[in-house]
Amino acid sequence: MTMTTLEKELVALAISVAAGCRPCVTHHLVEVRKAGGDDDSIVKAVGGAVCVRNSAGDGMRRHALGLDPAKKECGCTASDPLTELIALGAALAVNCTAETDKHLTAARSLGVAQDQLDEVFALAAMIRTKAIGHAEARLGGAGQGNWGEPPKAARCC
């Protein structure tokens, strides 16, 4: 069972938000709309991505400072498969093993099929690569300067 185009684009939007890639976010917002997404679905995907990104950042901060893990979870748990796929994609985008494990387990408990998980993993890998490329474009190639010069228009995916 594969995801619909709208589901894929909502997951891709969340991955792009979590990865912090403006060109990718812009691209996937357009694609979500083309696939029939509405404001509520966009708010839900973006909110899930931000929740996971914030939780991952706080978890890493606590780990780096030798603090105990947070006692209270961020609340990024859902009872529907799409919301868990969105959160899983965001967790992969920020490379957070704790959030990835949490949302992978939750998605599996909701009956998400392996091919859907594979789609999310592939989307996250592709968007992370694109996001890195967009950021590296600011270097002007091989780190030779051009800092601060805006890159040419970039397109995701």
Side-chain angles (χ1 to χ4, degrees):
M1 176 189 223
T2 59
M3 292 188 286
T4 67
T5 300
L6 177 58
E7 290 169 336
K8 284 182 198 176
E9 287 303 329
L10 287 168
V11 171
L13 174 61
I15 293 166
S16 301
V17 167
C21 183
R22 286 178 182 258
C24 293
V25 168
T26 299
H27 172 77
H28 290 292
L29 279 169
V30 169
E31 295 303 314
V32 164
R33 293 285 187 198
K34 281 185 190 174
D38 59 11
D39 289 346
D40 289 341
S41 63
I42 290 169
V43 166
K44 187 175 179 180
V46 170
V50 170
C51 180
V52 169
R53 184 178 172 141
N54 289 344
S55 178
D58 185 57
M60 189 54 64
R61 178 188 66 81
R62 296 180 75 76
H63 176 72
L65 297 175
L67 302 173
D68 290 333
K71 292 185 175 147
K72 181 180 171 197
E73 292 204 7
C74 67
C76 299
T77 9
S79 59
D80 68 283
L82 179 57
T83 302
E84 283 301 336
L85 291 173
I86 285 168
L88 176 61
L92 292 166
V94 296
N95 199 36
C96 181
T97 55
E99 288 290 322
T100 298
D101 290 346
K102 171 183 165 183
H103 294 292
L104 182 57
T105 299
R108 284 184 172 146
S109 75
L110 292 170
V112 172
Q114 186 61 47
D115 65 330
Q116 291 173 314
L117 297 172
D118 293 342
E119 285 184 84
V120 173
F121 296 140
L123 276 171
M126 180 197 49
I127 292 170
R128 283 176 50 167
T129 300
K130 291 281 190 176
I132 290 167
H134 294 313
E136 287 175 345
R138 308 249 346 140
L139 293 173
Q144 307 241 332
N146 296 340
W147 282 96
E149 292 180 22
K152 293 182 176 138
R155 185 178 185 281
C156 180
C157 315

